Amino acid sequence: MVLKDVISGGKGQAFMLCNEAIVRGAIEADVKVVAFYPGAPTSEILDTFSEALGSFDYHMQIATNEKVALEICAGASFAGFRSLTAMKSVGMNVASDTLFVLGYTGVRGGLVVVMADDPHAHSSQSEQDGRFFAPNAYVPMLEPSTAQEAKEMVKEAFAISERHRVPVIVRTVTRVNHQSGVVELGEIRRGKFERARWRDLKEEYLTLGEVARRKKVRMLERRAELEKEFEGSAFNSVLRGEGGAGTGIVTSSVSYLYVLEALKSLGLWGRVPVLKLGTTYPVPRRLVADFIRGLKGVIVVEELSPYLENEVAVIAKDVNPAARIFGKRSGDFSEAWELNPDLVSEGIASALGLEHGDKTKIVEEARALKEGMPDRYPTFCPGCPHRGTFAALSQALRALSASGKGYYFANDIGCYSMWVFPPISKADSSLCMGASVGIANGLSNVIEERVVAVVGDSTFYHAALPAILNAVHNRNRFTLLILDNSVTAMTGQQPNLSTEYTAGWREGKRVPIEDVCRAAGAEFVEVVDSYSVKENVPVFRRALEYDGLAVVVSRRECALYGDRRKRRRGEKITPFEVDKSVCRRPYACIRDVYCPAHEIDGDGQPRISPELCDGCSVCSRMCAFGSIRRAGAGTGNENGTGNQKRNDKEKEKEKEKGEGAGERR
């Protein structure tokens, strides 16, 4: 991130990530309150606002979840302050309860919600199409294609929000959020942050019964006003086609960029007209009608669901019923996964009946090259505390295996999602944030097996707490592991309530998870060090056998986060190494720890890559022969010299045996 470009006061140009351009647009628009729960692909918006916090007078909070973040912004907006939140599409599921009501109540200060869909589910549990939230909530929606457009749309969204007193969604997709480009910077003119007097505003934001019914009528009137305004929006444009094949293209978002490349590759540049929509709710129907009137066919290019295609089909029925609509319903484009220029070229060629290059040979070559390559699964980072936690859990389960008791493993959303991959492969379910605890509540009453639920610290605060309270109240019996690594690690190590810091890494008040669980009424609550694998095994055994809700908080900060803090403190990170003269090749460090830093050397003995080793000591603590030690630290493992002493005794016995054998010889 180039922070100086984001906070630069003057006009000019800067090469920016789109998420940075969104922040720049909000700062130019004089945003006063921002609040977030982190989630890819919007995390850099939070991070950039956090880095820039000392440069401008806006108030920022990292909230417990997306609903709270939106409500923070809504509260500020009620008082007349411009506010912005950003979230991924599944986060909107959490925030939508509030969004739908805000559509009724309206707002006062500009309120902008950046919502990012994730076609291809790069970092999400589903390919959700968030565009349908806009018509459901009667909230206007803008869709940028480039970083420049994203910045301009955010600025305009504040103005639209205040003009119509309604929240505005700026909807992006992963390939828009994570693209970079040259962005024209506008002037930054910030107003002074001053508290408002609520009683002077004479505002009210209520919606019940008769009030809701009256406001529904107002929402419909507002939608008509917005549609009229969007007919002339500069965010909608037409790329004229001179010759034309009697067919035009309607598109939006990053698909517009794919269409431009596809037309060039197909030799159709300048021949096929293109309507690019930047305002996608309400759809400017007159603009669309004027575009498709007289065309023989309309190709709709969009990712995920046929949202625009349905709108175009309805409009065409009135103004051009003979026109053929090509899109997902015609089978020219898939409703699954994200598009790319080649897929769009193929779809356009299919609709127009043109030849398209056969890619079969390239795919076959790629498959052939892949033959023989070992499978590589996602895994925990070197030094990740979750590795030690799951190693201890596995040992506890093995120790209890004689009982014949079975287990169900409910996983959740976070770094620990990799619990599902080999070599552990323990997870039986993984749905959404906090669902592991809710699922455990349901299963614990209907299956014979003991349920083991896993949740992270950030998720604990985000969505798991109500389910824990439910478990306590109903005396449900299951084991809950809360993996507390101090930060929201998977989305970029942002602080959360388990951290002593808040937005901008300013001092905050930590909310201990174990205190919350005990206050909720949980009677079995233990806190362990994730790295102390051997010591944790008996704790986990008791938790697995406990007749009730057993909570174990396994705590160690995220290795990457911890390493960064060590470097800032000037502490050296010393890797571990294997003393091959001591190692007896049980391969426990490979089999039980499965750390990416471990490998088999050319001589068949374990080796630790010093470039990858985090120096966490977990493998050393688990080695029965004391053959793993900190580089340059001499003999002995991390726990002292216990194993080494045992090893020395064994060596002495071997020596005595050898000497005895020599005598016998």
Side-chain angles (χ1 to χ4, degrees):
M1 182 181 72
V2 184
L3 183 62
K4 67 179 180 59
D5 292 329
V6 176
I7 64 176
S8 169
K11 290 185 176 180
Q13 292 184 331
F15 188 71
M16 284 185 171
L17 185 71
C18 181
N19 281 342
E20 296 167 354
I22 287 171
V23 175
R24 173 72 191 202
I27 290 173
E28 289 182 11
D30 201 15
V31 67
K32 292 301 185 189
V33 174
V34 294
F36 311 93
Y37 182 81
T42 62
S43 298
E44 295 86 359
I45 299 175
L46 182 161
D47 295 336
T48 306
F49 267 117
S50 187
E51 291 290 326
L53 188 54
S55 303
F56 302 103
D57 60 345
Y58 55 81
H59 179 77
M60 176 177 178
Q61 291 186 27
I62 299 176
T64 46
N65 61 33
E66 294 85 354
K67 182 175 186 290
V68 176
L70 177 57
E71 288 160 355
I72 291 168
C73 291
S77 176
F78 290 168
F81 292 81
R82 287 191 164 184
S83 58
L84 178 143
T85 183
M87 60 193 71
K88 63 188 303 180
S89 56
V90 291
M92 180 56 86
N93 295 339
V94 181
S96 61
D97 202 20
T98 300
L99 178 74
F100 278 63
V101 183
L102 288 174
Y104 277 76
T105 64
V107 296
R108 186 165 183 267
L111 172 53
V112 177
V113 182
V114 179
M115 176 192 66
D117 282 337
D118 187 19
H120 209 81
H122 290 284
S123 58
S124 307
Q125 60 267 43
S126 65
E127 275 193 323
Q128 182 176 309
D129 194 328
R131 289 179 295 178
F132 293 94
F133 277 113
N136 266 336
Y138 295 89
V139 169
M141 175 169 62
L142 310 177
E143 288 194 70
S145 300
T146 65
Q148 176 70 53
E149 199 171 37
K151 193 200 80 149
E152 299 306 325
M153 280 190 177
V154 166
K155 291 177 69 174
E156 180 60 21
F158 282 109
I160 294 171
S161 175
E162 290 174 355
R163 199 154 52 237
H164 295 274
R165 300 200 62 159
V166 62
V168 177
I169 293 174
V170 176
R171 187 257 188 178
T172 56
V173 293
T174 303
R175 299 294 179 184
V176 170
N177 290 96
H178 289 166
Q179 67 170 267
S180 297
V182 176
V183 175
E184 294 283 344
L185 306 181
E187 281 191 54
I188 294 179
R189 295 178 180 175
R190 305 282 301 176
K192 189 177 180 182
F193 191 112
E194 293 181 333
R195 286 180 178 270
R197 290 167 60 91
W198 181 253
R199 62 174 176 265
D200 294 339
L201 298 174
K202 297 182 173 55
E203 295 278 324
E204 62 177 29
Y205 299 92
L206 310 169
T207 172
L208 282 171
E210 172 61 20
V211 178
R213 290 189 283 274
R214 280 191 280 110
K215 289 188 174 180
K216 178 65 180 285
V217 175
R218 172 59 194 141
M219 285 200 299
L220 298 175
E221 294 170 349
R222 185 181 65 207
R223 183 179 64 181
E225 294 165 5
L226 283 161
E227 182 180 332
K228 185 177 180 181
E229 180 175 315
F230 286 174
E231 297 286 0
S233 172
F235 296 127
N236 303 319
S237 60
V238 175
L239 185 66
R240 298 293 175 189
E242 295 176 356
T247 300
I249 296 174
V250 177
T251 186
S252 66
S253 186
V254 73
S255 299
Y256 171 66
L257 304 182
Y258 298 153
V259 166
L260 298 184
E261 286 197 45
L263 292 179
K264 289 178 182 175
S265 66
L266 292 169
L268 296 174
W269 184 261
R271 294 180 57 197
V272 178
V274 179
L275 171 60
K276 182 254 184 190
L277 291 175
T279 64
T280 48
Y281 182 77
V283 170
R285 289 179 293 176
R286 192 186 68 203
L287 178 64
V288 175
D290 290 344
F291 179 78
I292 66 176
R293 188 177 285 114
L295 290 176
K296 295 178 181 176
V298 182
I299 306 171
V300 183
V301 184
E302 60 186 327
E303 291 180 313
L304 301 175
S305 303
Y307 170 82
L308 285 179
E309 186 178 339
N310 290 342
E311 294 283 348
V312 169
V314 170
I315 296 169
K317 188 177 180 182
D318 292 332
V319 301
N320 188 1
R324 288 192 63 188
I325 309 298
F326 302 96
K328 299 176 188 298
R329 297 193 304 186
S330 66
D332 295 289
F333 295 91
S334 171
E335 201 167 328
W337 312 328
E338 65 181 359
L339 297 177
N340 59 46
D342 190 58
L343 287 173
V344 172
S345 296
E346 188 177 349
I348 293 174
S350 170
L352 296 178
L354 303 175
E355 290 290 330
H356 184 259
D358 186 1
K359 306 292 183 184
T360 306
K361 188 176 179 181
I362 297 174
V363 174
E364 288 176 354
E365 288 178 0
R367 285 177 180 161
L369 289 171
K370 192 180 174 184
E371 290 293 326
M373 293 179 66
D375 292 329
R376 295 185 64 191
Y377 297 98
T379 187
F380 303 116
C381 303
C384 176
H386 301 340
R387 180 175 288 105
T389 301
F390 288 127
L393 176 63
S394 296
Q395 291 189 19
L397 291 168
R398 281 200 294 269
L400 294 171
S401 61
S403 68
K405 192 172 184 178
Y407 300 91
Y408 178 97
F409 301 100
N411 203 354
D412 214 283
I413 306 300
C415 298
Y416 40 89
S417 298
M418 282 167 280
W419 197 28
V420 72
F421 296 112
I424 322 178
S425 303
K426 279 286 192 300
D428 291 305
S429 64
S430 179
L431 302 185
C432 55
M433 295 284 282
S436 63
V437 192
I439 294 292
N441 273 280
L443 280 170
S444 61
N445 289 302
V446 297
I447 64 174
E448 294 181 355
E449 292 84 353
R450 175 77 174 188
V451 180
V452 181
V454 176
V455 74
D457 50 334
S458 186
T459 311
F460 168 82
Y461 303 109
H462 179 283
L465 262 173
I468 293 172
L469 292 166
N470 183 80
V472 171
H473 177 67
N474 290 287
R475 298 188 181 279
N476 291 335
R477 298 174 174 84
F478 60 91
T479 302
L480 173 61
L481 302 184
I482 303 175
L483 311 182
D484 181 4
N485 62 3
S486 300
V487 288
T488 311
M490 184 169 256
T491 54
Q493 302 162 22
Q494 294 85 2
N496 61 45
L497 277 69
S498 185
T499 316
E500 63 269 32
Y501 301 107
T502 181
W505 297 101
R506 297 177 177 182
E507 188 175 349
K509 182 175 175 59
R510 181 172 162 266
V511 182
I513 293 171
E514 59 272 23
D515 290 358
V516 176
C517 291
R518 290 185 181 116
E523 295 171 353
F524 184 114
V525 180
E526 297 259 4
V527 181
V528 300
D529 179 348
S530 308
Y531 284 174
S532 300
V533 177
K534 292 180 180 176
E535 293 80 355
N536 295 343
V537 173
V539 178
F540 286 1
R541 285 187 58 174
R542 291 201 305 276
L544 292 168
E545 295 179 307
Y546 184 71
D547 186 24
L549 172 65
V551 179
V552 179
V553 182
S554 186
R555 179 170 290 143
R556 266 277 179 172
E557 64 185 7
C558 164
L560 300 181
Y561 171 69
D563 288 350
R564 183 183 300 170
R565 282 158 56 91
K566 286 177 184 174
R567 293 189 187 99
R568 286 175 179 168
R569 293 194 297 263
E571 294 178 23
K572 187 179 178 182
I573 299 171
T574 306
F576 278 68
E577 61 186 9
V578 178
D579 185 344
K580 294 184 177 181
S581 66
V582 178
C583 176
R584 298 191 179 182
R585 306 188 195 187
Y587 300 117
C589 55
I590 304 284
R591 190 175 53 250
D592 295 339
V593 183
Y594 53 90
C595 175
H598 283 253
E599 57 190 6
I600 304 293
D601 216 344
D603 57 3
Q605 288 192 303
R607 176 182 178 275
I608 298 175
S609 171
E611 296 82 11
L612 293 176
C613 180
D614 174 76
C616 72
S617 79
V618 168
C619 59
S620 172
R621 293 166 187 245
M622 294 180 67
C623 178
F625 302 101
S627 63
I628 300 176
R629 63 193 180 189
R630 202 174 291 278
T635 58
N637 62 13
E638 188 69 9
N639 283 337
T641 57
N643 287 337
Q644 186 59 43
K645 285 178 179 177
R646 284 197 298 274
N647 189 57
D648 291 342
K649 288 180 180 178
E650 289 172 0
K651 275 187 173 180
E652 289 176 8
K653 290 180 180 176
E654 293 289 334
K655 187 178 179 181
E656 289 172 0
K657 288 179 183 177
E659 287 173 349
E663 288 173 0
R664 283 193 293 274
R665 283 194 296 272

